[in-house]
Amino acid sequence: MAGTNSERQLLTEGPVIILVEPQMGENIGMVARAMANFGLAELRLVNPRDGWPNDKAQAAASKADHVIEGTKVFETLEQAIADLNFVYATTARERDGFKPVRSPVVAAETLRAKFRAGEGTGVLFGRERWGLTNEEVALADEIVTFPVNPAFASLNIAQAVLLMSYEWMKSGMEDIGTVPFQAMSQTQSTKEQLFGLYDQLEEALEARNYFHPAGKKPKMVDNLRAVLSRRAFTEQEISVLRGVISSLDRFSRKYPRGSRPPADAKEQPNDDPSGE
């Protein structure tokens, strides 16, 4: 969904995202885009396979330039997390060890609390093909894992970052039911407007001998009105429906709108005496 708006506040806060030995520039770019979607801005790379900067990453970031341009590169994971107070390691498989395992919701709430306390936090993501090693997970404080299909638990790196970033955004919302925009306000139609729709439609159908045989017309009219009154139409919806009926009434399939004057237009004099 297209939704970038340079006139609105750009959120740039939250935990650091650390990618350990990422292989493809496109994946790094999609990670940057996912981060920007949900207000994260600091990306760190540990020994990226194809080096840095990377043109493919820039292209895949889809204008998340502030993330790409601020990306820092480190030779080792220890260097990448040295200044942080608390770090999560993401993994989809069970590990041997004694580290607490958290859901994304709990992890995001923990990160939010530590962020508000002024602590430096981060989330580790492993290689595209096989994730983090046990030694790398051991450098983290806790583990976060996602509730996925146990028979198909493979997430690509950008998907994993997107899920964690989304939970981070939610953890800072006062009401998680809040949406960024509302449907356009509309006024419910009056009964008079609804009756006008009935009359127009019934007249158009009558002209085409829809109510046949005549003895069934009262029941057919009742059924038609029952269908149209199942919900409360707004004024705008009544206007749309009446416009549709008017178009069907004035133009046929053989002579659609624009092919000749509508059926109710007055005949225009032909200035050509030959009739051609």
Side-chain angles (χ1 to χ4, degrees):
M1 297 183 290
T4 57
N5 188 337
S6 60
E7 296 180 357
R8 293 192 172 188
Q9 178 188 4
L10 181 66
L11 300 178
T12 55
E13 59 180 24
V16 176
I17 298 298
I18 304 111
L19 306 185
V20 179
E21 296 185 355
Q23 296 171 280
M24 300 178 63
E26 294 91 337
N27 288 340
I28 299 172
M30 288 188 287
V31 164
R33 181 179 182 178
M35 292 171 59
N37 285 152
F38 298 105
L40 300 180
E42 188 170 351
L43 176 62
R44 299 182 183 181
L45 308 178
V46 177
N47 193 25
R49 184 189 67 181
D50 295 336
W52 194 261
N54 187 296
D55 291 340
K56 291 182 178 179
Q58 184 83 49
S62 295
K63 298 184 179 180
D65 297 332
H66 62 291
V67 178
I68 292 294
E69 292 169 4
T71 298
K72 298 177 182 178
V73 179
F74 298 83
E75 292 185 2
T76 68
L77 177 55
E78 288 86 348
Q79 293 172 349
I81 64 174
D83 63 328
L84 303 179
N85 302 101
F86 186 90
V87 175
Y88 273 110
T90 60
T91 181
R93 65 181 186 272
E94 188 173 351
R95 305 276 185 158
D96 293 329
F98 303 96
K99 294 188 182 298
V101 181
R102 310 298 187 190
S103 72
V105 174
V106 173
E109 291 173 348
T110 300
L111 291 169
R112 178 70 63 175
K114 292 182 177 297
F115 169 76
R116 287 171 175 163
E119 296 184 28
T121 60
V123 186
L124 305 181
F125 295 85
R127 302 151 189 84
E128 290 93 327
R129 294 185 62 186
W130 43 279
L132 296 167
T133 66
N134 287 336
E135 292 75 16
E136 289 162 346
V137 171
L139 296 177
D141 297 278
E142 296 183 358
I143 291 172
V144 58
T145 191
F146 303 99
V148 293
N149 183 346
F152 196 79
S154 176
L155 290 173
N156 71 38
I157 191 170
Q159 290 173 327
V161 172
L162 181 74
L163 290 174
M164 198 65 233
S165 301
Y166 174 60
E167 293 299 339
W168 162 259
M169 174 67 83
K170 283 171 54 183
S171 71
M173 297 172 62
E174 294 183 2
D175 178 4
I176 61 172
T178 301
V179 292
F181 58 88
Q182 297 289 337
M184 180 180 67
S185 177
Q186 299 187 38
T187 304
Q188 183 172 330
S189 66
T190 64
K191 296 304 180 185
E192 181 181 15
Q193 291 169 326
L194 186 59
F195 297 156
L197 172 64
Y198 292 162
D199 293 341
Q200 182 183 5
L201 180 56
E202 289 163 18
E203 192 282 327
L205 293 173
E206 182 72 59
R208 290 159 178 79
N209 199 29
Y210 173 80
F211 301 112
H212 180 82
K216 291 187 176 182
K217 179 178 177 179
K219 182 61 176 176
M220 296 174 74
V221 168
D222 286 345
N223 290 341
L224 182 63
R225 292 191 176 198
V227 169
L228 293 175
S229 62
R230 285 176 67 103
R231 54 155 295 177
F233 285 103
T234 65
E235 292 180 354
Q236 293 87 341
E237 290 168 337
I238 290 286
S239 178
V240 168
L241 288 172
R242 296 198 66 170
V244 169
I245 296 167
S246 294
S247 182
L248 294 174
D249 206 24
R250 302 181 76 196
F251 304 100
S252 68
R253 292 188 181 188
K254 184 176 181 181
Y255 298 108
R257 186 174 184 176
S259 64
R260 70 172 191 178
D264 59 354
K266 295 181 179 180
E267 292 293 333
Q268 299 296 322
N270 192 338
D271 295 332
D272 185 353
S274 68
E276 296 180 359

